[in-house]
Amino acid sequence: DLLLLSIHQFFMGLGVDEIRRRGQQDDKPLRMVKTVLHELCKLKGPEVRQHLTLVPRDGGAGEPVPIIHAYIDLNLQSLSSAGLVP
């Protein structure tokens, strides 16, 4: 739960625009964090969502849903398509 909170805080600190900008470059810190999240999704499958207890589900006050949720959904979808998780 704390690891997912730390990833959430990292993403929030960067912001969506910065994540997109860095995603177009070879940004090692961002790539490493996204890889850790991917591996967690691969190990836990959909159960990874049960470990988001410390991460808000919505942004609150008109803010968008935290980006970690989108990355988890994307990872689980690609892993499921590859037959690596149910």
Side-chain angles (χ1 to χ4, degrees):
D1 293 15
L2 287 174
L3 179 57
L4 290 174
L5 175 62
S6 294
I7 292 171
H8 163 69
Q9 291 170 333
F10 177 79
F11 286 155
M12 294 299 291
L14 289 178
V16 175
D17 292 334
E18 182 67 9
I19 290 171
R20 284 188 185 129
R21 187 186 71 74
R22 288 183 179 201
Q24 296 172 355
Q25 303 170 356
D26 188 29
D27 186 87
K28 291 190 190 316
L30 178 60
R31 192 169 76 201
M32 185 261 316
V33 169
K34 289 167 69 174
T35 299
V36 168
L37 186 58
H38 182 266
E39 290 299 315
L40 283 173
C41 290
K42 192 160 56 170
L43 288 170
K44 290 296 200 178
E47 292 178 11
V48 72
R49 291 187 182 109
Q50 295 174 3
H51 298 280
L52 290 168
T53 59
L54 302 174
V55 177
R57 180 62 197 159
D58 58 27
E63 293 292 317
V65 173
I67 196 165
I68 189 171
H69 294 286
Y71 275 113
I72 287 173
D73 291 344
L74 182 66
N75 280 322
L76 290 175
Q77 183 179 31
S78 66
L79 288 167
S80 179
S81 295
L84 298 173
V85 297

